[in-house]
Each structure stands twice: as C-alpha cells, then as structure tokens.
Amino acid sequence: MATETSSESAGTTAVVAKANEQIGGAYRALEAFSAKRVRNLGILLAVVVVFSVYAITQDGGRIYLQRIFDSLNNGFVYGAVAIALVLIYKATGVINFAQGEMAMFGTFLMIDLHDYRGLPVWLAILGAMVISAAGAAGIERTLIRPFDPTNHLSIVMVTLSIFFIINGLVPVLYGIDPEAVPTPFPGAKDDFFNLFGVRIRYENLGIWITVGLAVLLISLLLKRTKIGLAFRSVSSNLESSRLVGISTGRTLQFGWALAAAVGTLAACLVARFNQPIDFNFMGKVLIFSFAAATLGGLDSVLGAVIAGLMVGVAETMLGGYVELIGSELALLVALAIIVVVLVVRPSGLFGSKKVERV
Amino acid sequence: MTERVLDVSGLEAGYGQIKVLRGIDLHVDKGEAVVVLGANGAGKTTTLRAICQMISTKGSVKVRGKEMIGRSTPDVVRAGVAHVPQGRGTFPDLSVEDNLEAGAFVRKDKAGVRQDRDLWFSVFPRLGERRAQLAGSLSGGEQQMLAVARAMMSRPELLLLDEPSLGLAPIIVQDLFRRFGEINKQQGVTMLVVEQNASLAFGLADRAYVLEAGQIALSGSAAELREDDAVRKAYLGY
C-alpha cells in the first residue's frame, strides 16, 4: 500500500515536473520573443499599416481620417486619467481604483457649481478641480497615511472601499437622474471647421489643447519645482527622502491632490460626450485609462498621454471597422491591451525598467 | 568649553517587541570624528537610526542642545544632521545632479546650493562626469561618493556615516576614508561613523565607542582603544 502511494506520487511528481518545465520553456520563448524590440515594433507597425489599408479600401480615406480625429478626444481624456493613475502609482506603488469615482464626483460638483450656483463653466471646472484636490488631500491624510506605505495590499483595499463609498454617496447627494453636461467650448451643431475634408469641432480642439496644456504644466511642475523634486525623490526612495528633510506625508498628499485635480478635469471634459451622465459614467473610462497607463508603463507621465491616444485610436478604429467588436465589445480592446502588454512587455512602452546596480 | 554637537543619554530603541538599544550614552563635540565599533547585531545602525528619529525611541537625543526625541526625521535634518544610511540610500531614479539637489532640500539659498554642487563635482570628478546619469546606474564606489556628497549638500553640523566601507573594494575604501578625513579636518564637519573595519576607523577617529549587545562596553580616545587588548583581539585581529 505504502509503496503504491509512493510510486503514484513519484509519477505525479514527474508529471508536475514536466509540466513545470514546459511552462518554463513557454515563458522563456515568450521572453526571447519580446526581447527583440525592433522586430516587435515592426510587427506592430505592419499590423497598423495592413489595418489602415483595409480600412481605407473599405470606407474611403476621408472617413478613415475622420475616425482618427474623432478618436483623439477619447484618447486625450484616457491619457489625462492615466496621468492621474501614474502620479499615484509613482508615489505609492499602487493603482488608485477610486480615481475614476473621485473624478466622477468632481464632475457632479462642476455641474452643481454651474447649474445651481451660477458659475461660468470654466470657473465651475476650476472650482471642482480645487475641491477635488482638497478632498483627495483629506483622503490621503485620513485613509491612506495611517497605513504602512510598504503594505500595498491594504492600500489597494482602501482605494477600493473609497470607490464604493463615492459610488454610493453621489446618487444620495445628486440623485440618480441623468444630468446634462455643460461645455466651456463652442458646442453648437455647426461649430466646426474643415481640414483636409475632415470635420474638426471646436469643442474637440478645445479638449486637445486643454489636456496638452495640463500635461505640459504637470511635467514642468515635476521637473522644475521644489515640490516636484520632493515628489520624484519620494517615488524613488521613501527612507532617503526623510533623511534629506522631505516630509514624505505632505509630498504624497500633494501627489494625491494633483492626481485628483487632473482626473476631475478629464472627467469634466469627457462627460460631455457621454451625456446625459449618471454616477456610473466613469467606469468605462477608467478601464480604458488603466489600459493606457499599463501601455505607457505606469511610471511615465508623457508615456501615459501617448498611450492614451493609442488606446483611444484603437478603440474607435477597431469598433468602427470590425463589425464583431462594434461599440459593445470595445471594452474588450482595452482588456486585451492590458493582457498583451503585461505578457509581452510588462514595463510598457515608456516605463523605466529598474536600472540598479547593487 | 567646546560645543556638544550631539549628546545622547539613556537612549533606548527597538523594532516591535525586540529591544535593540538598552540605554546608550555617547556624545560628539564640535569638530570631532567619533567612531562606533561593534559586531553584527550590536545595534550600530539602530543607534544612527534612533538619533535620526527613524524609529521610536526613549531617552534623550540632543542636537546642539535641542531635544530631538518625539520630533520627526525632517526636523532632525533641519537641526543640522545629515545621515548617509547603510547601503548608501541614493535616489536610483534621479540623476546625479538631482540627487545633490535633493540633498540640499532644507536649504533656501539657491545660489549657495549651486556653488556647493559644483564644489562637490570638483571634489568627486567622477560624479561631475556622470551628472546627468541616473544614480541607479553608478558603481558601488560612485554611489557612496554620491551619498556622501548628497549628505554634505545640506551643510550639516554633524555627519552620520553608516558603514561606508560596506561592499567596496579596499582601494576605494581607503580613498573614501582619506576624503572623510579631509571633510572632518579641513572643513571642520563633525562626524559620527559606524564601522566594522576597525583599523580604518581608528585612522580617522579622535575617539571611539565599542557597542556590545545594545550597550556601550568601552569608550576612550582612538589611541587608547587601539592598544586595548580586548578591542585588538575582537576588531583588529592580532
């Protein structure tokens, strides 16, 4: 009996060992495949070209261009929300799952300030950004800072709970009726101009410029200012930051506030295209932004924007030309991007692989 | 009477349930270089971490007469203490230049900071050559230079060095200790060095403490302790 069991277990061990070896081999093959960066970029480019040729022969060049320009809207917004995710990730090493809901709250604040308190749209957006930033600073102080910053799991759980709290709070405060969203840009039906036969709406142009400026400001803030230096130091080495006299809590708080302000700005801009909005409208946006942040490498601000644009274009083009995907399965595109990036190139397109000699 | 830059008495500290320091008394006067010797686990690193309030502590830590217990680490830095931690503790994702800039975080005089940065680039030309490079890509010796230069960027009254020789080639260590000597004697920076390499440490130090199991076992001038039989057997190996 005993010998039987042991020989059986020996058999199982052999099978397990073989399976392990095969899985290991598969991963090594994948790694070897992904190591050849130039070739992979070539493959990506070839796929894009083939798809473009197919798309142009299908519906003509003008619609192709129109779709690309239309997709930039979403792209910029995904990029902006991805920046918010990246800022928190750099500082704390975790994804803030509540980022989308915080931004959603910010959008309702904006509508509140505009519709019921009579502020002009621009001021309402700025006001909502300031309130979001203050709120995020408060969240950081009360819900994040008490936890050990090296214990990522507990912080992730806290951000998840913030997600549910805000998602439950907003319908209580503002009701569940869908709301119309104001825009700061000329948004009437005929507010557009033509470029190469492509219709460009002023409203869209406004979004591109706004997000572009926001990215520029954030980059300058991080690279050129003292608080930016503190933020980068804290992201790089928490303990040494304390040893040079940086108060790490306040620096992380700054990161949370900045991320919330950017998130609210992006949500206010994207809400217009999903109107009337209810308290769940950021769910889809957040998933595309996750994809953008992953593709961009999670720790690069500029990478997040470029990846956001790529994700936006991919969503619109695949949804537009591949009937099977349409708009219903567009979310799958985002999820597929996340999975492929994590398997082939976990550090994303622009993320820093940790270079460290020890 | 010379100024007491650091005055530690009855210092207790530990991690969770484990008590590492069991009442330590030591002091460092202005301009001195003092070394703390001890075996692995004696509490050398913990002593420095406790002085900087990086762990919860009991007793008294006075920096230039001001009590630091209960204050935050940035407060201790602002009081004039710079700490080069074990393992160097540079910012690997920041350029060499930004590392130095971060070292001067508590200072307000921009022009002075720029001057000091250039000064340290001339003291350590290797760092100057690599000023735009990420600190994480430097060699061990270069990282230690960077860590020291970064600490000096805050113009400290007291420099704490935690096993600067760890993991470096002997020739690099000798060069580093020569630099420490210059920083101490020529620039007049007070130093507290934790070290396992006793012969090197005695070369640098005016006075020494020997730490055993979380308590000061011996103290005296470097010359005295160098001749002490127990110290010689335990730390110098002859």
Side-chain angles (χ1 to χ4, degrees):
Chain A
M1 194 69 183
T3 46
E4 220 169 77
T5 335
S6 75
S7 74
E8 212 171 76
S9 77
T12 328
T13 321
V15 169
V16 169
K18 203 175 164 207
N20 266 335
E21 202 173 297
Q22 276 168 348
I23 294 171
Y27 270 103
R28 273 193 297 280
L30 251 178
E31 246 167 49
F33 180 83
S34 56
K36 292 186 181 155
R37 213 176 151 187
V38 176
R39 187 201 54 193
N40 288 350
L41 282 178
I43 293 176
L44 189 68
L45 203 66
V47 170
V48 169
V49 168
V50 168
F51 182 84
S52 302
V53 170
Y54 163 78
I56 291 169
T57 52
Q58 192 90 23
D59 290 341
R62 185 186 285 194
I63 290 188
Y64 175 78
L65 269 183
Q66 183 72 56
R67 281 192 166 135
I68 289 211
F69 274 99
D70 287 348
S71 67
L72 292 185
N73 263 347
N74 277 348
F76 272 113
V77 169
Y78 297 157
V81 178
I83 288 179
L85 293 172
V86 163
L87 285 174
I88 306 257
Y89 182 84
K90 276 171 86 84
T92 59
V94 299
I95 293 280
N96 176 13
F97 285 97
Q99 197 75 63
E101 299 312 284
M102 287 159 64
M104 180 273 289
F105 197 174
T107 310
F108 277 89
L109 280 171
M110 184 272 283
I111 295 172
D112 188 351
L113 289 175
H114 175 69
D115 287 5
Y116 303 106
R117 288 165 224 275
L119 288 184
V121 185
W122 265 120
L123 274 183
I125 292 181
L126 277 178
M129 285 169 70
V130 170
I131 299 173
S132 305
I139 287 177
E140 192 280 334
R141 184 68 192 84
T142 52
L143 296 177
I144 304 293
R145 209 182 296 181
F147 292 93
D148 174 7
T150 58
N151 188 352
H152 290 172
L153 187 60
S154 59
I155 296 179
V156 166
M157 293 312 288
V158 171
T159 70
L160 268 179
S161 67
I162 299 169
F163 174 104
F164 287 115
I165 291 169
I166 298 179
N167 195 263
L169 193 64
V170 167
V172 172
L173 288 177
Y174 293 110
I176 53 168
D177 294 331
E179 300 257 5
V181 182
T183 171
F185 309 112
K189 247 195 160 105
D190 53 355
D191 278 326
F192 63 83
F193 63 96
N194 281 306
L195 186 77
F196 312 121
V198 174
R199 197 178 268 198
I200 295 180
R201 298 180 54 78
Y202 292 119
E203 207 178 346
N204 299 359
L205 196 63
I207 291 183
W208 307 344
I209 293 173
T210 308
V211 174
L213 280 179
V215 173
L216 190 71
L217 275 179
I218 293 170
S219 312
L220 286 178
L221 189 66
L222 292 186
K223 291 231 168 72
R224 293 285 150 86
T225 66
K226 204 157 180 177
I227 182 80
L229 179 68
F231 182 80
R232 287 184 291 135
S233 304
V234 169
S235 326
S236 183
N237 189 335
L238 197 67
E239 187 147 279
S240 289
S241 303
R242 286 196 189 111
L243 285 180
V244 297
I246 296 169
S247 56
T248 51
R250 232 176 289 161
T251 306
L252 292 179
Q253 200 169 28
F254 158 81
W256 275 78
L258 184 62
V262 181
T264 292
L265 175 66
C268 287
L269 296 177
V270 77
R272 173 78 176 171
F273 299 96
N274 297 324
Q275 71 165 337
I277 55 160
D278 69 2
F279 60 96
N280 280 325
F281 85 99
M282 278 303 282
K284 192 195 106 188
V285 177
L286 187 66
I287 292 185
F288 279 101
S289 305
F290 277 149
T294 316
L295 183 62
L298 276 176
D299 63 355
S300 156
V301 169
L302 193 63
V305 184
I306 296 171
L309 289 172
M310 290 165 77
V311 169
V313 171
E315 175 203 9
T316 307
M317 296 312 254
L318 288 173
Y321 287 104
V322 185
E323 236 170 81
L324 177 69
I325 296 178
S327 59
E328 298 299 313
L329 288 182
L331 216 49
L332 275 188
V333 176
L335 297 171
I337 290 174
I338 294 178
V339 171
V340 169
V341 170
L342 288 182
V343 171
V344 176
R345 197 175 158 75
S347 58
L349 292 176
F350 307 94
S352 54
K353 276 198 181 146
K354 293 276 173 202
V355 182
E356 208 165 330
R357 281 207 218 174
V358 280
Chain B
M1 199 187 130
T2 50
E3 192 194 353
R4 282 258 144 110
V5 177
L6 178 70
D7 198 349
V8 173
S9 62
L11 182 63
E12 293 179 20
Y15 303 92
Q17 297 285 312
I18 304 155
K19 219 175 192 188
V20 179
L21 303 183
R22 298 182 296 173
I24 286 194
D25 304 295
L26 61 80
H27 66 91
V28 185
D29 290 337
K30 193 168 176 59
E32 268 191 318
V34 173
V35 67
V36 177
L37 294 171
N40 282 332
K44 304 186 298 285
T45 295
T46 307
T47 304
L48 295 192
R49 290 170 62 89
I51 290 170
C52 283
Q53 301 301 307
M54 295 167 77
I55 48 177
S56 65
T57 48
K58 267 191 274 180
S60 166
V61 174
K62 283 191 179 138
V63 176
R64 295 158 78 199
K66 264 193 280 175
E67 184 58 66
M68 287 297 145
I69 300 274
R71 311 291 290 273
S72 70
T73 303
D75 285 339
V76 180
V77 177
R78 274 187 283 269
V81 178
H83 183 167
V84 178
Q86 198 171 28
R88 310 174 187 54
T90 53
F91 299 110
D93 314 305
L94 264 57
S95 69
V96 168
E97 217 165 346
D98 281 348
N99 263 275
L100 294 187
E101 198 84 31
F105 191 80
V106 293
R107 284 172 64 181
K108 303 267 185 281
D109 53 326
K110 277 192 169 175
V113 169
R114 218 166 305 132
Q115 246 173 32
D116 277 13
R117 193 186 62 198
D118 292 340
L119 168 78
W120 287 103
F121 280 151
S122 68
V123 173
F124 297 117
R126 293 289 288 275
L127 296 182
E129 289 162 25
R130 289 160 166 63
R131 56 166 68 200
Q133 212 168 304
L134 292 188
S137 66
L138 299 182
S139 73
E142 289 160 355
Q143 292 218 15
Q144 188 69 63
M145 292 174 200
L146 178 59
V148 172
R150 188 190 64 194
M152 291 302 296
M153 283 298 288
S154 66
R155 294 225 176 134
E157 289 290 326
L158 173 67
L159 183 62
L160 306 180
L161 294 166
D162 195 347
E163 293 218 30
S165 72
L166 197 76
L168 298 179
I171 185 159
I172 293 173
V173 172
Q174 263 169 16
D175 181 55
L176 265 175
F177 270 76
R178 195 169 48 75
R179 308 295 188 126
F180 296 157
E182 285 167 13
I183 291 171
N184 174 236
K185 298 277 149 18
Q186 290 166 18
Q187 300 193 33
V189 176
T190 312
M191 275 185 191
L192 180 62
V193 188
V194 151
E195 191 46 79
Q196 286 208 55
N197 187 331
S199 56
L200 264 175
F202 281 134
L204 173 71
D206 304 308
R207 286 190 305 117
Y209 292 92
V210 175
L211 200 57
E212 263 168 32
Q215 280 171 322
I216 300 286
L218 279 170
S219 68
S221 75
E224 270 167 35
L225 283 187
R226 198 203 294 262
E227 300 307 321
D228 185 277
D229 280 344
V231 171
R232 242 178 37 197
K233 277 213 187 84
Y235 299 103
L236 295 168
Y238 60 87

